[in-house]
Amino acid sequence: IPLLLDRLNDTIRRPIPDDWIEPIHAVLERQLLGEPDRDWIEYERICTLDSVAWIFSDPSRVRFGRWTPYLAQYHQNRWNEAEPLGTYRRNVRAFNAAYDEIASYVATPIPQRDSRFAFRSSIEDLLLVEPFFPGFRHAINAHERRVAIRRATRALIAIERYRIARGRYPVALADLVPDFMPSVPLDSWANAPLCYLRIDSVSDPHGRGYILYSVGADFADNGGTSPEPRFRHDSLSIFHTNQAQGVDYIFNEPISPD
């Protein structure tokens, strides 16, 4: 599904024939691309605990398998061979505590999250557990981006379907409800509806009649101001960066011909 979304998003950011719109809408509906599953953290927890059970199910795997002092030294930037492996129960308890902390973080609206949160308070210094979570923020960031692109892709198609049916673009996203969308899509970075701005297609260098955007990582509506192309992804991130200041994430930003 993430690959499908990427391809669809790339497609609708280019000029496409009107007769493509309904088939693309049909693909979205067929793939049931509604709201993403919010239980993905629990799926990750189950997979992780299954791996822990596999490791501890064979004594030779624990003593002579992957988790040896040699490999700990080889992965010196992530592993500390002085850290204990711990018992199976201790590992399960440690992983569950860490996942509980992550689940609480993800359940918090993005504008209210601490972007520096590193998931350390619940993590024990165990050989398996300690290196597992520092990179988890990037997984959360990727998930939130997929949520945003999924919502925006459906909105972009709904806007074009409205234009084809009514001969003009909607004045506001609320005009799409209920005939073209069940509800106005949410911008997770604002905890409010996605931003929609009508513009003059004649004066726009790309011929667009509107801009659909998220306020992005600075949590401020900058009127649909585009970042430099190389910083585009920084503007839709749970991490605060200087490149995200004063700009928004434009979902219908045209793809450069280069």
Side-chain angles (χ1 to χ4, degrees):
I1 287 180
L3 180 60
L4 172 64
L5 280 174
D6 287 343
R7 295 294 180 265
L8 282 176
N9 190 255
D10 286 349
T11 297
I12 60 181
R13 286 169 57 201
R14 295 182 170 93
I16 58 175
D18 285 353
D19 57 4
W20 284 29
I21 299 299
E22 283 302 326
I24 291 175
H25 171 67
V27 169
L28 288 171
E29 295 302 308
R30 189 164 58 248
Q31 296 296 329
L32 301 178
L33 297 185
E35 279 297 292
D37 197 328
R38 306 305 297 187
D39 292 330
W40 70 281
I41 293 293
E42 294 308 309
Y43 300 148
E44 292 288 341
R45 184 199 303 259
I46 291 170
C47 291
T48 300
L49 294 179
D50 185 65
S51 296
V52 172
W54 176 83
I55 291 168
F56 280 90
S57 66
D58 185 343
S60 66
R61 195 174 292 136
V62 174
R63 294 174 58 196
F64 307 113
R66 298 176 61 189
W67 322 110
T68 62
Y70 171 78
L71 284 181
Q73 184 177 6
Y74 178 77
H75 295 283
Q76 57 185 331
N77 62 324
R78 298 181 62 196
W79 301 82
N80 182 353
E81 60 181 304
E83 291 169 348
L85 178 64
T87 64
Y88 170 69
R89 288 186 178 181
R90 186 178 173 190
N91 274 267
V92 169
R93 184 169 60 247
F95 273 111
N96 273 326
Y99 271 110
D100 287 344
E101 189 171 348
I102 291 171
S104 176
Y105 177 81
V106 170
T108 303
I110 291 178
Q112 300 173 23
R113 295 180 191 173
D114 181 356
S115 65
R116 299 165 297 177
F117 189 53
F119 315 118
R120 291 291 311 174
S121 63
S122 298
I123 297 178
E124 293 190 51
D125 290 330
L126 297 176
L127 186 59
L128 299 184
V129 179
E130 194 277 334
F132 190 82
F133 291 100
F136 213 93
R137 289 196 312 162
H138 296 285
I140 294 174
N141 191 52
H143 173 77
E144 297 295 357
R145 284 177 53 81
R146 287 195 299 270
V147 171
I149 291 174
R150 181 178 295 201
R151 291 172 178 170
T153 299
R154 293 180 67 91
L156 289 169
I157 293 300
I159 291 169
E160 294 302 326
R161 292 178 67 227
Y162 182 102
R163 175 187 61 80
I164 293 170
R166 308 286 169 83
R168 56 181 173 80
Y169 286 116
V171 175
L173 291 181
D175 296 344
L176 301 173
V177 180
D179 293 341
F180 300 92
M181 294 195 79
S183 61
V184 176
L186 183 71
D187 178 5
S188 296
W189 275 259
N191 204 27
L194 283 175
C195 299
Y196 173 76
L197 180 66
R198 285 291 307 272
I199 59 176
D200 182 7
S201 60
V202 176
S203 60
D204 181 66
H206 306 290
R208 295 172 298 178
Y210 66 93
I211 298 174
L212 183 71
Y213 63 97
S214 164
V215 300
D218 69 349
F219 307 131
D221 186 347
N222 300 290
T225 302
S226 299
E228 294 182 42
R230 59 182 173 146
F231 297 134
R232 183 169 186 263
H233 291 305
D234 291 324
S235 63
L236 193 69
S237 170
I238 63 173
F239 309 124
H240 297 167
T241 64
N242 292 332
Q243 291 80 9
Q245 298 303 309
V247 298
D248 302 311
Y249 186 89
I250 315 300
F251 291 106
N252 61 327
E253 187 80 56
I255 294 179
S256 170
D258 299 332

